[in-house]
């Protein structure tokens, strides 16, 4: 009998949709390693910001891809400034190419993995066992992002956060290189009306159902 395929779960969705929380919870539930791929783009952005690299230059951003070791846990990664630059530099095809292999290596490790981002189900792991596309209305996402910022002691206004969320959606969805898109076989999970625990429970149910369907003989 052939060995069972490793369990690979792809979680995609727009900013503040809850995909990170869901991906972490799925990783814990299924005992899998997890990669938040946005962290890679944020690390490139942080390097540019710290060293005065020009985010308008694709070559400067490409060079920064070789300088991200040690930045994965930097608290500044989560700042809005870094998120804004990350959204810009992630549109560069050379940057996406430079970060592709390490994401694919993570997805292909023998024991399986959970990855979250924008192009996991479409580009990084198109053969993933289960793909979730997590979304929520821009208004709900703005409220969540505002709560996060306030909890970190930062000042922000809901209207500004909403403008920022919409601008980021626009950039992430309309860039030509690997835009944010729902894979044809991704299961949709709208978290607008769900609290954290219900969203996680629903995600686990969807993945378990997919695993069961995969294991049934055709
Ligand atoms: O998920 P996040 O907000 O941490 O991601 C930051 C930016 O990185 C986001 O605006 C788009 C980009 N990104 C991407 O293009 N592809 C991914 N797989 C993950 C993130």
């Amino acid at each position: 009998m052939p060995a069972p395929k490793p369990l690979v779960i792809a979680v995609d969705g727009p900013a503040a949709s809850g995909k990170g929380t869901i991906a972490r919870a799925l990783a814990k539930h299924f005992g899998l390693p997890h990669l938040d791929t946005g962290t890679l783009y944020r690390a490139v952005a942080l390097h540019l910001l710290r060293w005065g690299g020009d985010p308008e230059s694709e070559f400067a951003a490409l060079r920064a891809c070789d300088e991200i070791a040690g930045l994965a846990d930097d608290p500044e990664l989560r700042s809005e400034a870094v998120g804004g630059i990350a959204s810009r530099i992630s549109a560069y095809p050379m940057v996406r190419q430079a970060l592709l292999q390490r994401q694919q290596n993570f997805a292909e490790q023998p024991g399986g993995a959970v990855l979250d981002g924008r192009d996991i189900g479409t580009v990084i792991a198109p053969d993933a066992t289960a793909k979730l596309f997590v979304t929520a209305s821009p208004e709900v996402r703005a409220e969540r992002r505002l709560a996060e910022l306030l909890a970190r002691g930062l000042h922000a206004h809901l209207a500004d956060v909403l403008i920022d969320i919409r601008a980021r959606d626009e950039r992430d969805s309309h860039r030509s290189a690997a835009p944010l898109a729902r894979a044809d076989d991704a299961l949709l999970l709208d978290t607008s009306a769900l609290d954290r625990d219900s969203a996680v429970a629903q995600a686990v149910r969807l993945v378990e159902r997919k695993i069961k369907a995969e294991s049934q003989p055709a």
Side-chain angles (χ1 to χ4, degrees):
M1 220 165 73
K5 260 176 51 180
L7 174 59
V8 178
I9 306 175
V11 183
D12 289 302
S17 56
K19 67 183 185 308
T21 304
I22 287 174
R24 273 191 302 279
L26 286 171
K28 194 164 173 222
H29 181 88
F30 291 101
L32 295 171
H34 164 235
L35 179 65
D36 167 0
T37 62
T39 302
L40 300 173
Y41 294 93
R42 284 176 179 266
V44 173
L46 177 58
H47 181 83
L48 288 172
L49 193 67
R50 285 222 174 119
W51 298 100
D54 180 6
E56 298 301 319
S57 159
E58 184 165 1
F59 289 99
L62 177 64
R63 263 196 301 279
C65 293
D66 289 331
E67 308 290 343
I68 59 175
L71 292 179
D73 296 319
D74 196 295
E76 215 186 326
L77 277 188
R78 310 310 319 166
S79 76
E80 288 300 276
V82 166
I85 298 174
S87 168
R88 283 170 206 280
I89 57 95
S90 63
Y92 297 141
M94 288 195 290
V95 167
R96 305 202 70 81
Q97 185 61 34
L99 300 177
L100 180 78
Q101 196 60 54
R102 72 181 84 188
Q103 297 175 74
Q104 288 188 330
N105 290 346
F106 193 92
E108 286 163 12
Q109 57 191 302
V114 181
L115 293 89
D116 75 86
R118 303 289 190 288
D119 62 343
I120 309 303
T122 50
V123 175
I124 305 295
D127 296 329
T129 325
K131 300 180 187 177
L132 296 184
F133 192 83
V134 181
T135 188
S137 71
E139 290 75 15
V140 167
R141 290 187 285 127
E143 274 170 25
R144 287 182 191 156
R145 181 51 54 87
L146 178 68
E148 262 174 50
L149 293 171
L150 296 179
R152 294 211 313 262
L154 299 167
H155 293 284
H157 295 283
L158 184 60
D160 298 338
V161 178
L162 183 56
I163 290 171
D164 189 56
I165 290 259
R166 287 192 197 278
R168 204 171 293 183
D169 284 355
E170 180 69 20
R171 275 199 300 271
D172 292 350
S173 310
H174 293 102
R175 66 182 179 220
S176 55
L180 167 68
R182 180 182 167 192
D184 292 340
D185 52 350
L187 305 160
L188 185 68
L189 176 51
D190 187 333
T191 65
S192 301
L194 301 177
D195 64 15
R196 183 199 173 282
D197 289 352
S198 326
V200 166
Q202 200 154 320
V204 169
R205 260 198 309 277
L206 287 171
V207 173
E208 276 172 348
R209 210 180 296 159
K210 189 75 208 299
I211 296 171
K212 203 165 160 208
E214 290 278 300
S215 65
Q216 309 274 312

